[in-house]
Amino acid sequence: YLQGLILWIPDRAPLWKVDKASIAVETAALWTAAQDLKLSIRPALLLGLIAFAVLRFYRSRLKTYQLSLNALIRKPRTDATHYTVLALGCVALRALPIPLLLASVATLFSNDTVAWVLTFTGIALFACGSIKLVCEPEGVGLVHFNWPEAIVERLHREFKWLIRTVLPLAAIALIILGETVTTGDTVLGRVGIILVLALPLIVVFHYLFRNARQQGSSWLKVRALQVRLALGIVLAMLIAAIALGHSYSTQIIFKSLADTVLVGFCLILLHAVLSRWLLVTRRRLRLAELMSARVERETADEAILEDQEARLVDVSTETRELINMGAFVTALFALLYIWAPLLPALDAMTQVNLWTSSETVYGVLIENHFTLAALIKVIALIVATVYAAGKLPALIELILRSRTSVSPSSRYTIIALLNYVIIGAGITAALSALGLEWSQLQWLVAALGVGIGFGLQEIIANFISGLIILFERPIRVGDIISTGGNDGVVTRIRIRATSIRDWDGKELLVPNKEFITGRLLNWTLSDVRVRMVIPIGIAYGSDVEQAIRTMESVVSSHPRVVDDPPLQIVFEGFGDDALLLSARLYLDSVENRMGAMTEINQAIYRAFNEAGIVIAFPQRDVHFDAEKPIRIALENGAD
């Protein structure tokens, strides 16, 4: 309770209301602290100085080694993920000397404020320096992670300016604030912090105004400018809070912001390393395929192979989505942990009443208050439901796709039902947050019942039929079905209708009710195999046994023909014009049945031609009776 209130209560007087005498008191306190400053040499200082000297000596060699790693990753043959890890290690070692020196110097001071500020500045300098070195020309961000060159150059330039100007001024302001925090109003410390925050604020708004003049009304559509605008608003709010006397709240917010930036950059690096690891793995597999193809063909020279290596495939979209989802979930939990001290402050929003409704329960008047906190909760639930309905089923699909025992139709059923559950749970939670109970929804249910009875019965029937289809599964995504004189493949099962793509590529929407109440032919319900009969007639006088052996050899060698049930070659009988043979076979799938039939017929035709077996065709014999004279007459065509 106190934590939720203290964040909204100023712990200092506003700057325009402070006592002017406090400035003199704070100045005297700073002078006294400077006179009482004592130095004491400790073993940690000597160790820090030695480490600083070693790192400074090898700094240029570390950069040279880092650049040599760049040459190794530019070729797919020598590329490896551990080179990126080594490059990041070089970046950390190159950024460490000055922060290590500051931490060592901090051990000299007996003043806790000065020691803490030097240590904190060293940590901030190490973080900012690492980001600057990652974004340097020919750095890890540009070469290893393929980040956009414009963004990398901008970050390198801005963090370089931040290290040289803002961090030193911030260290001085923090020392002043720490030494005057017990004097009362802490005017000098707060003014110093405001000046430090105002410096980047001026730079941010100067950049925004310059781009607004150049780009006109479209400047807000640029993502980089949106980030700068958000940063400027946060800095302005922090300055206002410090001026109003909310020093304690500002301290917590500033610490949370710094931790957020640090954790965010670490997550970005981790995401980039994982993406690069997957890319290298995919490239190695593809390179192995190219090398095998080259050995088999023995025709590709070195130039052609290098060109193929330069066009290797990237990481699949599904894998990227999985990595992005993992990074998002990790970032969400990290943000909740970092900003947890500020969550009690949101309890104050329960005091902001938006509207009030009243109802009488057993003769007692009860008022229901809808507050700002409830509105924020409802909005958060709606956003979370929409995001979860869009992302969580996709993540589950990726997980199920890696399991070969789960069929595509089963994946679709699980994902569709999960989507319904997420949406239903989100609607229930939002209604509960609004304070709506079953007693208040009875009229809505009654109205829906009347609407269903008159005009929505078909929609509800199709919806219930869709649920029956998902649970009973008379049809599944990917099944080949025949219904209502239409044949095709089931592509999607929706709430109201099912999409079927026919053999011409046209999409047919069939209401779900027809699959439950009407007749349905599912070619692939229990077994995807399908039987096919290929009839062939050979000329009289042909070697039937050779024809049977040839057909059996040709048909059984086709990759789509299964061994169980076995192939049957039948001599059906004697036709008017041919000896009738037929091949009764089973294909592994009904998919592309016509293509398999074409391939088998072509193979049989070629094999019969090579074996000298004649495929018969209809023919007629005409006989003349030569025992009697044949009368031939010429008639006039004019008549």
Side-chain angles (χ1 to χ4, degrees):
Y1 175 77
L2 293 177
Q3 187 72 14
L5 293 179
I6 198 172
L7 294 174
W8 296 97
I9 300 175
D11 55 327
R12 296 288 187 273
L15 287 178
W16 56 86
K17 292 184 180 181
V18 297
D19 188 3
K20 296 181 180 180
S22 62
I23 298 178
V25 176
E26 293 178 15
T27 305
L30 289 174
W31 176 252
T32 303
Q35 289 180 335
D36 295 339
L37 198 63
K38 296 180 180 179
L39 302 179
S40 58
I41 299 177
R42 300 178 183 179
L45 175 63
L46 181 59
L47 294 176
L49 292 177
I50 294 174
F52 169 78
V54 172
L55 291 175
R56 289 293 296 180
F57 177 77
Y58 284 101
R59 196 167 188 268
S60 59
R61 299 186 181 183
L62 288 172
K63 184 176 182 179
T64 303
Y65 178 68
Q66 180 182 338
L67 293 177
S68 66
L69 296 176
N70 295 344
L72 294 175
I73 69 167
R74 284 192 170 98
K75 292 184 178 181
R77 296 184 183 183
T78 58
D79 193 6
T81 311
H82 68 272
Y83 292 146
T84 302
V85 178
L86 291 175
L88 290 175
C90 292
V91 167
L93 293 176
R94 289 171 58 197
L96 189 59
I98 301 299
L100 187 61
L101 179 63
L102 290 177
S104 302
V105 173
T107 61
L108 287 173
F109 297 93
S110 58
N111 188 302
D112 294 336
T113 300
V114 176
W116 178 83
V117 169
L118 289 176
T119 304
F120 177 79
T121 304
I123 296 174
L125 183 61
F126 175 73
C128 295
S130 299
I131 298 175
K132 179 179 75 72
L133 293 177
V134 167
C135 299
E136 67 180 348
E138 293 295 318
V140 178
L142 192 61
V143 178
H144 292 252
F145 299 147
N146 294 322
W147 289 347
E149 185 176 358
I151 296 177
V152 170
E153 291 179 355
R154 187 183 303 119
L155 288 175
H156 177 72
R157 183 173 60 253
E158 292 179 355
F159 273 93
K160 186 177 181 180
W161 170 80
L162 184 68
I163 292 172
R164 293 183 177 181
T165 56
V166 177
L167 284 183
L169 295 177
I172 296 173
L174 287 175
I175 291 176
I176 296 174
L177 181 65
E179 293 298 337
T180 60
V181 70
T182 58
T183 58
D185 294 332
T186 60
V187 179
L188 296 179
R190 284 195 287 165
V191 170
I193 296 296
I194 289 175
L195 292 177
V196 172
L197 295 177
L199 185 60
L201 179 63
I202 294 172
V203 175
V204 167
F205 277 101
H206 171 71
Y207 186 85
L208 291 175
F209 291 149
R210 186 182 65 183
N211 283 273
R213 288 195 301 268
Q214 294 176 354
Q215 302 182 13
S217 58
S218 62
W219 70 279
L220 268 178
K221 298 180 181 180
V222 182
R223 180 62 60 86
L225 297 181
Q226 293 175 354
V227 174
R228 288 179 181 274
L229 179 61
L231 178 61
I233 293 174
V234 171
L235 291 175
M237 292 176 64
L238 289 176
I239 291 174
I242 294 174
L244 291 172
H246 294 273
S247 301
Y248 177 72
S249 305
T250 306
Q251 178 184 353
I252 295 178
I253 294 174
F254 185 79
K255 181 179 180 301
S256 300
L257 285 174
D259 293 340
T260 301
V261 173
L262 182 60
V263 172
F265 186 74
C266 292
L267 286 177
I268 290 174
L269 286 181
L270 180 61
H271 178 273
V273 170
L274 287 177
S275 299
R276 175 159 171 70
W277 172 69
L278 290 170
L279 175 62
V280 171
T281 304
R282 188 72 176 267
R283 281 181 171 177
R284 285 181 177 177
L285 295 176
R286 179 59 178 160
L287 182 60
E289 295 176 0
L290 292 177
M291 295 298 293
S292 300
R294 182 190 178 189
V295 171
E296 293 176 359
R297 293 192 305 264
E298 296 183 355
T299 57
D301 57 4
E302 191 70 20
I304 296 177
L305 186 61
E306 291 293 335
D307 180 68
Q308 290 176 329
E309 292 175 2
R311 294 182 282 106
L312 291 176
V313 293
D314 203 346
V315 182
S316 61
T317 304
E318 293 82 3
T319 309
R320 283 192 177 277
E321 287 292 334
L322 185 60
I323 295 177
N324 294 338
M325 177 61 72
F328 175 79
V329 173
T330 305
L332 181 62
F333 281 103
L335 288 176
L336 290 176
Y337 177 78
I338 292 172
W339 293 90
L342 288 176
L343 295 180
L346 300 178
D347 294 338
M349 296 182 182
T350 58
Q351 307 300 323
V352 181
N353 189 26
L354 299 180
W355 68 78
T356 304
S357 62
S358 59
E359 61 176 338
T360 302
V361 179
Y362 299 108
V364 179
L365 183 65
I366 298 177
E367 292 186 350
N368 298 317
H369 301 280
F370 188 78
T371 63
L372 179 60
L375 177 62
I376 295 175
K377 185 178 180 181
V378 170
I379 295 175
L381 286 173
I382 294 175
V383 173
T385 301
V386 173
Y387 186 84
K391 296 295 183 180
L392 189 58
L395 177 62
I396 299 299
E397 183 180 9
L398 291 175
I399 296 174
L400 295 177
R401 187 173 294 177
S402 62
R403 301 177 63 89
T404 56
S405 59
V406 182
S407 62
S409 58
S410 300
R411 290 201 306 265
Y412 185 87
T413 302
I414 295 173
I415 292 167
L417 293 176
L418 179 61
N419 200 10
Y420 293 155
V421 170
I422 292 174
I423 294 176
I427 293 175
T428 304
L431 293 177
S432 177
L434 287 172
L436 297 178
E437 300 178 355
W438 174 252
S439 60
Q440 299 171 320
L441 296 177
Q442 291 178 354
W443 63 271
L444 179 60
V445 175
L448 286 176
V450 175
I452 292 171
F454 284 98
L456 301 178
Q457 56 180 347
E458 290 296 328
I459 297 178
I460 298 301
N462 288 322
F463 174 72
I464 299 300
S465 299
L467 293 179
I468 294 175
I469 290 173
L470 290 175
F471 280 102
E472 187 179 340
R473 301 176 68 188
I475 60 173
R476 302 157 299 186
V477 174
D479 282 351
I480 297 176
I481 65 173
S482 298
T483 178
N486 298 294
D487 302 333
V489 181
V490 179
T491 58
R492 184 176 298 180
I493 302 175
R494 300 184 181 180
I495 295 178
R496 188 192 66 84
T498 296
S499 299
I500 300 175
R501 181 182 292 112
D502 64 8
W503 310 123
D504 296 330
K506 296 179 292 185
E507 290 283 347
L508 177 66
L509 295 179
V510 181
N512 294 327
K513 181 180 176 182
E514 295 188 9
F515 297 109
I516 303 300
T517 59
R519 291 189 176 184
L520 171 67
L521 175 60
N522 192 333
W523 294 76
T524 56
L525 178 60
S526 59
D527 193 351
V528 296
R529 294 175 298 181
V530 61
R531 197 185 77 158
M532 186 169 62
V533 179
I534 301 179
I536 297 177
I538 61 176
Y540 276 91
S542 300
D543 189 346
V544 177
E545 295 181 356
Q546 183 183 7
I548 292 176
R549 290 194 300 269
T550 303
M551 290 180 62
E552 184 175 5
S553 174
V554 170
V555 176
S556 61
S557 62
H558 194 276
R560 294 285 305 278
V561 178
V562 299
D563 297 331
D564 186 22
L567 167 68
Q568 292 182 345
I569 308 297
V570 179
F571 183 8
E572 295 186 353
F574 303 92
D576 295 336
D577 306 305
L579 302 174
L580 303 180
L581 305 178
S582 65
R584 302 174 183 269
L585 56 99
Y586 281 84
L587 297 179
D588 57 356
S589 174
V590 73
E591 184 179 0
N592 199 14
R593 176 172 173 267
M594 297 302 177
M597 180 183 295
T598 301
E599 294 172 357
I600 294 174
N601 284 331
Q602 289 176 344
I604 292 176
Y605 183 74
R606 287 193 301 267
F608 275 17
N609 283 339
E610 293 174 358
I613 301 174
V614 178
I615 297 178
F617 53 88
Q619 54 186 332
R620 293 292 181 267
D621 293 336
V622 179
H623 299 274
F624 291 96
D625 189 0
E627 295 180 358
K628 298 179 180 181
I630 300 174
R631 182 177 178 274
I632 299 175
L634 298 176
E635 298 179 357
N636 189 0
D639 295 338

